[in-house]
Amino acid sequence: MLVTLGLMPFVQGDVGWYDSGELTAATAGLGVPHPTGFPLLVVLGHALQLLPFGPVPFRVALLSAASVGLATGLVHATAVRLGARPGLAALGALLVPVQLVVWTNAVLVEVYAPTLALGAGVAFLLGRPEPAWRQAAVLTGLGLGAHVGFVLMAGALWLGALTGHRAWPRLPRLLPWGLVGGLVILALPLMASRDPWMNWGDPSTPGRLLDHLTAASIRGSFEGEMGRGGAASAHRLGQWAEDVGGPFAALAVVVVALAAPFVRPRWFGLALLGALALDAAFTVWVNPMGQAELQTGTPGVLALASLAALALGQLPLRPLLRGLGGAIVALVLAFTLVFRWEERPTDEHAGRHGRLVLSALQPGALLLATSDHLASQSLYLQGVEAMRPDVVSLVIQHLHDGPAVARRYAFADRAAPEAFLALPREQDRERVAALLRAEGRHGPVYWQLGEGRYDGALTGVLRDHGLVERLAPPSGVVAGPPRTTGADALYDRLTAVEPARARTRWVWSEAARLRGLARLREGALDPAARLLEEAMRLDPNSARANAALGAVRWRQGQADEAIDLLERAVRLDPTYAHGWRTLATYREAAGDPRGAQRARDRLEAL
């Protein structure tokens, strides 16, 4: 309860960045968000949005804050029941809310905090002298309606409990109880059959439901990002450790790993250690994109905090050593809490961003978004707040789904162009071209930079329209006056109220980088340099912004600075293949064949 109350002042009261707008729209309208659908979040969030106070995003985000508070309490209760001293166990349990990856997801609408609470609940029910088998089975079934990270956590705990208690013969009798909880999955086809505003993949048939639950579309989109080895995996493993263990990541993970075999019952400590390892494997090799957005690692935090609470409170140490250990952990908690403190509180820039973009569009416009941010914000603003119903907002990466595009047009009382729908979904570039040709003849088309397959091909036909680009109208078509005076005016309006927090700076930096690259492709080197310098000011640790500015400096004849910027880019992200490739090219051209070969060797190692 105290943890939840401590989080309350930071709970976001407006649509946020990343997926929060999409998830809020789904919960408000009992719809289907992106795979794997998260039906438990949708149902619980829909119940909370009926509360009679606060904006809808705030009401639904209360589920996240309450979930983190519940998870912290369950970690403490589990440790105490297993013989840990309450005070020292509390210090270990408090590692849950103070970690940045948990705090970030505790104050907005996301699936990771409820998933954390479900994992802590299964540990609470199984981690007792006589486990509550049936209740744990039902809760595990319900967890199938949360994030896949829960499956890994619960799987490790069940494996440990069944082995440690020699209870494998119980498993057939427990499966029906798990199926009872798993009935929550049937909410997906039921919700999809209502044709709600949010209906990703329309899982109303068994085949589409299976595709949704297995995230077939997402796995196909990010197949090249999964299962990479070598230096890329080592770098991602380090990132995961910092997300899970905070600023003392390596020490924290090593200490709890060494303490795990001494925790009692032994099977419980080893199961938590297994959950920690599974979370690392999932984060590094299966879901690296989510890690970059502080969206994976929460099961690892839960396992690490549980082990810390048990080790602190159980291990037979002398009073002086126990006091010293408690003091060290307290200092670690204090340092972790203030570490990058400015990244923890949320801000209201995300909502203003979405509203300013939509309000700047001409009537009857088509908006093609690339980022989760703008796509998610427009889904919320149009679907929940009914803002700009005349605008058709699509996600460029989802244009292969013709029925979904047709439904989005239908919500705006328009019909999708037949020339677009008639082409096979495999001809994605031809479909995009057909859509732009058809819509460009009849109304304004706006394009958010960020889809590398098309941004370069549209060089010369995009015009700066603030935070998005506008497709130049065909000859003979009169363009309406812009509703904004450009990106600088929008940026001034966004920053007029409060300073930008970390997530906002990351998003704005990426937007400035993409606009800078667009100007670079047009040959406008000075405007490109100004935009990329702004991108680096907002996020100095952006490897891609450093590399992009290096490309501009190279074309401006400043070879030494260009190489320095590329060197910095690959230091910031040793897995950045394009950075290594460009660095090799520049060093070769600058007469440094050895340096070029070293860069090519690092590229090969990836």
Side-chain angles (χ1 to χ4, degrees):
M1 178 62 72
L2 291 176
V3 169
T4 301
L5 292 175
L7 291 168
M8 288 293 291
F10 305 103
V11 173
Q12 190 154 306
D14 199 357
V15 61
W17 300 115
Y18 299 101
D19 298 329
S20 64
E22 174 211 336
L23 294 173
T24 306
T27 57
L30 278 180
V32 180
H34 67 275
T36 55
F38 322 122
L40 186 62
L41 169 70
V42 172
V43 172
L44 295 177
H46 184 72
L48 280 175
Q49 67 96 28
L50 299 175
L51 291 172
F53 58 85
V56 171
F58 174 81
R59 299 177 221 169
V60 182
L62 290 177
L63 177 62
S64 294
S67 295
V68 170
L70 177 60
T72 306
L74 288 172
V75 168
H76 180 256
T78 302
V80 171
R81 191 174 56 202
L82 292 175
R85 299 169 184 84
L88 292 173
L91 289 175
L94 285 173
L95 287 171
V96 172
V98 302
Q99 297 296 1
L100 182 63
V101 70
V102 173
W103 183 299
T104 300
N105 291 297
V107 296
L108 45 75
V109 181
E110 257 298 355
V111 69
Y112 300 99
T115 300
L116 191 76
L118 288 164
V122 172
F124 177 76
L125 293 170
L126 292 179
R128 55 173 64 180
E130 183 54 40
W133 297 107
R134 291 179 179 178
Q135 295 93 321
V138 173
L139 190 61
T140 301
L142 282 172
L144 299 178
H147 190 263
V148 67
F150 168 80
V151 177
L152 302 176
M153 180 80 184
L157 290 168
W158 274 100
L159 179 63
L162 291 170
T163 302
H165 290 275
R166 300 179 181 177
W168 284 101
R170 291 177 176 266
L171 187 59
R173 300 196 302 273
L174 293 172
L175 287 177
W177 292 98
L179 292 175
V180 169
L183 291 175
V184 69
I185 291 174
L186 297 181
L188 289 174
L190 291 174
M191 293 185 295
S193 65
R194 300 170 52 252
D195 194 25
W197 168 256
M198 274 299 309
N199 192 8
W200 189 308
D202 187 19
S204 54
T205 66
R208 288 199 291 264
L209 176 61
L210 181 62
D211 286 346
H212 205 73
L213 292 174
T214 58
S217 61
I218 291 181
R219 285 188 290 108
S221 299
F222 294 106
E223 185 176 3
E225 296 290 333
M226 297 179 181
R228 294 172 62 184
S233 294
H235 178 69
R236 287 171 177 163
L237 186 61
Q239 288 183 316
W240 168 84
E242 184 174 339
D243 287 345
V244 169
F248 303 99
L251 179 62
V253 173
V254 169
V255 168
V256 299
L258 292 175
F262 300 99
V263 166
R264 295 292 181 270
R266 179 171 293 180
W267 72 261
F268 192 62
L270 295 177
L272 290 172
L273 186 61
L276 192 69
L278 285 173
D279 184 61
F282 174 79
T283 302
V284 173
W285 287 293
V286 179
N287 193 23
M289 298 303 294
Q291 181 192 10
E293 299 172 355
L294 291 177
Q295 291 188 333
T296 60
T298 47
V301 172
L302 179 63
L304 181 113
S306 299
L307 283 168
L310 287 164
L312 276 173
Q314 270 192 359
L315 295 185
L317 301 174
R318 293 181 179 276
L320 179 61
L321 290 177
R322 287 202 302 269
L324 180 61
I328 292 174
V329 174
L331 288 173
V332 169
L333 285 171
F335 188 83
T336 303
L337 189 62
V338 300
F339 181 63
R340 297 190 300 187
W341 169 259
E342 65 176 4
E343 298 180 9
R344 297 176 185 275
T346 186
D347 59 53
E348 305 301 327
H349 286 299
R352 284 196 288 272
H353 169 267
R355 290 182 179 87
L356 283 171
V357 171
L358 285 180
S359 64
L361 306 182
Q362 294 293 314
L366 170 66
L367 173 62
L368 292 159
T370 59
S371 70
D372 290 344
H373 317 295
L374 182 55
S376 179
Q377 291 160 6
S378 63
L379 284 169
Y380 168 78
L381 293 170
Q382 291 186 288
V384 179
E385 296 190 358
M387 182 179 180
R388 297 304 304 269
D390 61 304
V391 171
V392 176
S393 179
L394 302 174
V395 183
I396 295 172
Q397 294 89 336
H398 302 162
L399 292 179
H400 63 274
D401 190 344
V405 172
R407 283 198 304 272
R408 195 57 63 205
Y409 268 89
F411 278 114
D413 293 325
R414 293 162 58 181
E418 286 295 333
F420 163 76
L421 295 175
L423 288 169
R425 61 182 296 168
E426 293 80 13
Q427 299 180 18
D428 55 342
R429 295 180 68 88
E430 291 81 359
R431 284 165 62 85
V432 171
L435 179 65
L436 295 180
R437 279 195 301 268
E439 286 292 330
R441 295 190 190 101
H442 303 293
V445 178
Y446 298 89
W447 182 279
Q448 185 189 23
L449 295 167
E451 180 52 72
R453 293 179 299 166
Y454 306 120
D455 286 354
L458 293 174
T459 299
V461 299
L462 295 178
R463 303 290 182 266
D464 187 0
H465 190 79
L467 298 175
V468 293
E469 305 278 306
R470 178 168 178 176
L471 195 70
S475 59
V477 177
V478 178
R483 291 196 178 188
T484 72
T485 57
D488 293 337
L490 284 179
Y491 179 83
D492 291 342
R493 290 175 64 186
L494 283 170
T495 56
V497 179
E498 59 180 276
R501 304 294 184 185
R503 277 197 167 186
T504 297
R505 293 199 305 272
W506 300 341
V507 173
W508 285 347
S509 173
E510 180 63 5
R513 182 186 74 86
L514 291 169
R515 292 177 61 227
L517 286 175
R519 305 293 86 80
L520 175 60
R521 284 191 290 266
E522 295 166 358
L525 296 183
D526 290 340
R530 287 194 294 271
L531 285 164
L532 293 169
E533 288 166 356
E534 175 67 5
M536 287 184 57
R537 185 190 69 80
L538 291 165
D539 183 10
N541 294 323
S542 169
R544 283 158 176 76
N546 276 270
L549 184 58
V552 173
R553 295 297 187 232
W554 183 267
R555 286 162 178 76
Q556 290 176 329
Q558 303 175 33
D560 290 343
E561 184 178 352
I563 291 173
D564 288 343
L565 286 165
L566 263 298
E567 291 278 9
R568 187 168 189 270
V570 294
R571 282 198 304 271
L572 289 167
D573 183 2
T575 70
Y576 187 23
H578 178 72
W580 287 110
R581 190 177 299 112
T582 306
L583 179 61
T585 301
Y586 288 179
R587 285 206 171 277
E588 190 75 48
D592 182 9
R594 290 186 178 180
Q597 187 58 49
R598 285 195 299 270
R600 283 192 288 267
D601 290 343
R602 293 296 300 271
L603 179 63
E604 183 68 25
L606 297 177

